[in-house]
Amino acid sequence: MNKTIVVFDTNIFISAVFWEGKPYSVVKKAINQEIVVFISNYIIDEIRKVLTRDFNLEKQEIDDIVNAVLYFTHLIEPKESVKVINDDPKDDKILDCAVACNADFIVSQDNHLLNLKTFRGIKIASPKEFLKTLD
């Protein structure tokens, strides 16, 4: 059976680093290779930015987190830039990554993305909703 292809929004990675909850459970499925997760350089840069801005981590700590993320994700460079979310155009970068890897799902806690529900056949789900689909 083919594994589910997923793109995580930045907030999923960040939440999984600091708290044990549904985002952590979703990331654990990626680490255990139960799902295939793609990431773009934009998402990596966003992770770095949030860790620096909101958590005041040292560069080495941030590098360690990013390296851990890169260990269980597949890097892809989106070829297309969609313009869908006018309220927060940065969220379009998540859609770009999902389109590039032909994702089955985007997992996010961001309402701008969640409100779309689907984009070009890609389902957009909260961590809780996504975990239900895997059971």
Side-chain angles (χ1 to χ4, degrees), residues 82-96:
V82 302
K83 296 198 180 348
V84 179
I85 303 173
N86 297 329
D87 289 344
D88 193 356
K90 292 191 315 275
D91 290 337
D92 287 335
K93 300 289 190 185
I94 305 299
L95 299 173
D96 294 344

Side-chain angles (χ1 to χ4, degrees), residues 1-6 8 24-37 72-74 104-105 130-131 133-135:
M1 186 177 121
N2 289 343
K3 291 185 183 170
T4 303
I5 299 172
V6 186
F8 293 158
Y24 176 78
S25 299
V26 171
V27 168
K28 220 165 140 184
K29 292 208 174 281
I31 293 168
N32 293 337
Q33 298 182 354
E34 296 171 48
I35 57 176
V36 178
V37 178
F72 65 86
T73 58
H74 302 269
D104 299 304
F105 280 92
F130 178 68
L131 289 167
T133 68
L134 297 179
D135 291 339

Side-chain angles (χ1 to χ4, degrees), residues 52-111:
T52 303
R53 181 190 70 209
D54 298 350
F55 297 93
N56 197 27
L57 297 180
E58 299 291 324
K59 184 184 180 311
Q60 186 59 55
E61 291 173 295
I62 293 169
D63 288 346
D64 290 347
I65 291 168
V66 168
N67 287 333
V69 165
L70 289 170
Y71 182 74
F72 65 86
T73 58
H74 302 269
L75 187 61
I76 193 166
E77 208 41 60
K79 301 282 181 257
E80 183 181 353
S81 292
V82 302
K83 296 198 180 348
V84 179
I85 303 173
N86 297 329
D87 289 344
D88 193 356
K90 292 191 315 275
D91 290 337
D92 287 335
K93 300 289 190 185
I94 305 299
L95 299 173
D96 294 344
C97 185
V99 167
C101 69
N102 200 18
D104 299 304
F105 280 92
I106 293 170
V107 179
S108 178
Q109 299 179 109
D110 184 302
N111 285 330

